[in-house]
DNA sequence: GAAAATAGTTAACCATGTTAATTAATTATG
DNA sequence: CATAATTAATTAACATGGTTAACTATTTTC
């Protein structure tokens, strides 16, 4: 017999919230003919400063597939597949690094940049309504809670 | 050029957190030979009171596949597939409803119940360490933030 | 100059999800 | 009460997103 438990409740809340957002995200991206995963790559290539990866990994040069894989926590093979779609859609171009021919640098095309800008507008309007009821302090406290969790998971090896 | 924005930051935080948890969840469930999705079904059949679905949908009778689909926000066809695996593993049994032969009531087998109990122990130890730094009030505030977001998404149609 | 490391691709695969069509049982209705 | 509509579940065909393992090509290291 399972009992009420605040810790478990916290986790189910986060899962529910991120599922719901994912669904809404899909609804937004579909309008622009891409998937949420593809959007995330575009935002990474546009170096959206709100993405957590950039805190520990500031980027000067155009990103490589390897870095996308790290940022998104998926395999490189998977990134290859996702990128192929974006390249076919002419939203991203891949250029060999001059100093190291193994590397390929990824940048947004003009069309890619334009798409990000268009989607950015929709995203901001959506977020404004979503978070209307919260103060800046509320939101900061919320993200600090998450940062603390993420740190706990980084330091400990919580899964034995 | 994308700028810093607290709303966007909140969303990326939640995405990162739920991804990390999902990965840790997978690591836990793998040890027991099931997937995270299959675990979720077992917890629903065990009526874990921390699952948000039960707040609005208290269940007296054993659940049906249709209800699992609702709770997990996926198609019924998908639930059929997931259940087939659990039934093959003899963790779940399906019995025709006496009053309505269309319906099939799902219950955990003894093995299913035992598995849930074993996993519950691991889950609780994991959570205890994960949330060590937070007070009850911290956690309540956090879940209230999420409840407010979920409500905002339910009422408005945020995606135009 | 050979061995090791790095970046990327390809191929084969699995889990999870979808929609559309079908079967069977129950409920509503004219 | 017979027929139509609804409900629950399944099946089949398919898309997507993810994996690992094997491979190629290029740099780095020793």
């Amino acid at each position: 017999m399972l009992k009420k438990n605040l810790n478990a409740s916290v986790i189910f809340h986060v899962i529910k919230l991120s599922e719901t957002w994912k669904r809404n995200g899909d609804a937004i991206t579909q309008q622009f003919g891409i998937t949420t995963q593809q959007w995330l790559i575009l935002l990474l290539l546009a170096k959206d400063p709100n993405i957590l990866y950039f805190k520990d990994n500031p980027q000067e040069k155009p990103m490589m597939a390897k870095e996308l894989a790290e940022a998104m926590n998926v395999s490189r093979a998977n990134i290859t597949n996702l990128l192929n779609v974006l390249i076919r859609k002419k939203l991203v171009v891949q250029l060999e690094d001059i100093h190291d021919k193994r590397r390929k640098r990824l940048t947004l095309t003009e069309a890619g940049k334009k798409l990000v800008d268009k989607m950015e507008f929709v995203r901001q309007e959506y977020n404004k309504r979503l978070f209307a009821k919260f103060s800046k302090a509320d939101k900061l406290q919320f993200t600090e809670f998450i940062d603390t969790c993420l740190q706990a998971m980084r330091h400990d090896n919580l899964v034995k």
Side-chain angles (χ1 to χ4, degrees), chain A:
Chain A
M1 192 50 192
L2 301 177
K3 282 180 291 185
K4 281 229 171 192
N5 172 303
L6 191 47
N7 289 343
S9 170
V10 169
I11 292 196
F12 282 123
H13 271 79
V14 172
I15 290 172
K16 180 82 184 178
L17 182 62
S18 80
E19 260 176 20
T20 311
W21 279 348
K22 177 151 191 341
R23 232 180 303 285
N24 287 339
D26 288 343
I28 292 175
T29 54
Q30 261 176 33
Q31 295 171 30
F32 295 94
I34 59 173
T35 67
T36 304
Q37 288 300 87
Q38 290 165 15
W39 190 22
L40 223 198
I41 290 186
L42 296 183
L43 289 175
L44 280 161
L45 297 184
K47 303 213 172 120
D48 182 331
N50 304 298
I51 296 176
L52 275 61
Y53 176 75
F54 292 128
K55 268 190 198 155
D56 303 319
N57 306 275
Q59 300 287 320
E60 309 92 48
K61 294 193 180 178
M63 294 184 83
M64 299 186 289
K66 188 214 164 195
E67 292 162 339
L68 292 179
E70 249 173 59
M72 296 171 69
N73 231 309
V74 296
S75 66
R76 267 178 296 170
N78 187 24
I79 293 289
T80 300
N81 293 333
L82 290 170
L83 277 175
N84 282 339
V85 180
L86 292 172
I87 291 167
R88 225 179 301 129
K89 287 182 180 167
K90 302 207 194 293
L91 297 171
V92 170
V93 282
Q94 219 171 11
L95 288 173
E96 253 186 15
D97 188 303
I98 326 162
H99 308 298
D100 186 340
K101 284 183 195 162
R102 287 172 308 183
R103 301 178 179 202
K104 295 186 181 172
R105 298 287 173 181
L106 299 158
T107 45
L108 295 176
T109 61
E110 273 311 306
K113 281 179 203 161
K114 263 189 196 156
L115 181 59
V116 168
D117 279 349
K118 267 205 298 187
M119 296 186 75
E120 193 57 20
F121 179 77
V122 176
R123 173 159 76 137
Q124 299 217 0
E125 285 305 301
Y126 173 85
N127 286 349
K128 227 179 274 173
R129 284 187 280 163
L130 176 56
F131 295 122
K133 286 192 182 163
F134 301 111
S135 69
K136 191 175 171 183
D138 290 337
K139 294 184 241 178
L140 280 173
Q141 195 168 37
F142 185 78
T143 55
E144 270 161 33
F145 187 102
I146 292 181
D147 281 329
T148 308
C149 285
L150 288 172
Q151 256 189 326
M153 290 192 272
R154 206 171 303 157
H155 293 322
D156 284 23
N157 187 8
L158 289 173
V159 182
K160 281 175 284 196

